[in-house]
């Protein structure tokens, strides 16, 4: 049973035991946190908003904000700290710098240096008070790998195993770091979906293998794995679901639509409340 699920149950039991008894005064507890880490998905990115020059406060339909609204410790909501960086890869997460900040663009919550260092510093400064950590890192690694092949299918097929192994190695480094700083937090890694409409026969198997590798790394570090692939790319679907859950068909943007971000928030919440 996850830490978050245990809190839900203990809170419910307390409410039952105290039914009909009005407390004399509310007890103010210390602030507790949900830390969202990773790339543009953690940020809640949608290209049209970015092209319109909107500030981070306009990017509030992402899974981080939606999930934060559903999380709490007892009766108190968790405070969201969102370090999500559009353009972040598993490599830049570790070594920096955040591509979005390097381009002079603002984040939800600003930090200096690599995101991994910022996450470690926050977790250590708030040790025992960060209840939930989510992590999304894979898409920019995949994009860079495909671009390196210049559309050569054989290059993609032959190079995929090494590219997946590199992502898994970096992810292992990252989760080990998170676990050292926050041994008791509930950690959920968000996997990948396939937005390569029209290339599914080639790309589906690669994304599935990537998700298997990330799931193994998550399990080795006592983290849960949330797999969006069956939701965004259900068996036999040639793209209708992907078009509904991303902006790929309407705007040429593979990031989730509002409906897609809601689906990701639901998936992450299911992992946090699963026994």
């Amino acid at each position: 049973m996850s830490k978050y699920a245990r809190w839900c149950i203990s809170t419910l039991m307390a409410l039952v035991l105290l039914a009909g008894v009005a407390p004399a005064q509310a007890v103010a507890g210390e602030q507790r946190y949900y830390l969202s880490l990773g790339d543009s998905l953690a940020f809640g990115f949608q290209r049209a908003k970015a092209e319109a020059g909107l500030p981070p406060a306009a990017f509030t339909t992402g899974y981080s904000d939606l999930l934060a609204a559903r999380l709490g410790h007892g009766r108190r909501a968790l405070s969201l700290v969102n370090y999500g960086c559009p353009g972040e890869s598993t490599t830049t997460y570790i070594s920096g710098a955040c591509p979005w900040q390097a381009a002079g663009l603002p984040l939800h919550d600003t930090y200096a240096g690599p995101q991994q260092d910022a996450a470690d510093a926050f977790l250590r400064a708030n040790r025992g008070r960060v209840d939930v950590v989510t992590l999304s890192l894979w898409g920019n690694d995949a994009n860079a790998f495909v671009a390196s092949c210049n559309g050569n299918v054989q290059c993609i097929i032959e190079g995929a195993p090494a590219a997946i192994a590199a992502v898994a190695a970096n992810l292992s480094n990252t989760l080990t770091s998170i676990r050292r700083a926050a041994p008791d937090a509930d950690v959920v890694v968000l996997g990948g979906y396939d937005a390569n409409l029209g290339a599914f026969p080639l790309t589906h198997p690669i994304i599935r293998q990537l998700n298997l590798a990330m799931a193994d790394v998550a399990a080795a570090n006592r983290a849960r794995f949330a797999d969006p692939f069956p939701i965004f790319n259900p068996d036999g679907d040639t793209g209708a679901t992907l078009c509904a859950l991303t902006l790929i068909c309407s705007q040429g943007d593979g990031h989730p639509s509002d409906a897609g971000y809601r689906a990701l928030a639901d998936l992450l919440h299911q992992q946090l409340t699963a026994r």
Side-chain angles (χ1 to χ4, degrees):
M1 181 186 300
S2 73
K3 184 178 178 183
Y4 178 63
R6 290 197 299 272
W7 288 331
C8 291
I9 293 171
S10 62
T11 300
L12 180 60
M13 291 175 65
L15 290 173
V16 171
L17 291 172
L18 294 174
V21 180
Q25 121 182 32
V27 178
E30 61 184 1
Q31 184 60 60
R32 304 184 76 92
Y33 298 95
Y34 158 35
L35 178 62
S36 182
L37 302 172
D39 53 23
S40 55
L41 296 184
F43 184 88
F45 184 90
Q46 292 171 330
R47 186 187 300 165
K49 293 179 181 178
E51 291 176 345
L54 299 181
F59 294 83
T60 57
T61 61
Y63 73 73
S64 299
D65 291 275
L66 298 175
L67 184 59
R70 300 170 68 175
L71 298 177
H73 186 96
R75 293 184 177 182
R76 186 168 187 173
L78 300 187
S79 180
L80 171 62
V81 175
N82 187 345
Y83 284 166
C85 163
E88 195 84 288
S89 68
T90 60
T91 300
T92 62
Y93 179 93
I94 294 170
S95 60
C98 163
W100 192 252
Q101 285 198 116
L105 299 167
L107 299 174
H108 289 285
D109 292 294
T110 302
Y111 53 85
Q115 189 176 164
Q116 178 156 296
D117 290 352
D120 285 354
F122 182 85
L123 291 169
R124 293 183 188 282
N126 295 281
R127 192 175 180 92
R129 296 193 291 131
V130 180
D131 293 350
V132 174
V133 179
T134 60
L135 176 68
S136 170
L137 278 176
W138 62 272
N140 294 299
D141 295 82
N143 291 340
F145 162 63
V146 171
S148 72
C149 285
N150 295 312
N152 186 301
V153 172
Q154 194 62 31
C155 171
I156 294 171
I157 292 172
E158 293 178 355
I164 290 170
V167 170
N170 286 341
L171 183 61
S172 179
N173 177 315
T174 293
L175 289 175
T176 298
S177 178
I178 290 171
R179 271 291 168 228
R180 278 198 301 262
D184 297 324
D186 283 328
V187 181
V188 186
V189 176
L190 180 63
Y193 60 86
D194 191 353
N196 296 287
L197 196 63
F200 289 166
L202 171 64
T203 53
H204 269 16
I206 294 173
I207 299 297
R208 287 193 180 102
Q209 288 300 314
L210 174 63
N211 281 342
L212 287 173
M214 291 195 292
D216 286 344
V217 173
N221 288 276
R222 295 187 295 110
R224 298 183 181 225
F225 182 73
D227 186 359
F229 191 92
I231 299 172
F232 283 67
N233 306 107
D235 288 344
D237 192 312
T238 58
T241 302
L242 184 71
C243 289
L245 295 182
T246 72
L247 301 169
I248 191 67
C249 297
S250 60
Q251 300 176 25
D253 179 7
H255 290 90
S257 61
D258 288 353
Y261 275 124
R262 287 194 297 271
L264 293 179
D266 289 344
L267 178 63
L268 290 164
H269 191 257
Q270 289 166 10
Q271 285 296 320
L272 287 167
T273 55
R275 297 192 179 190

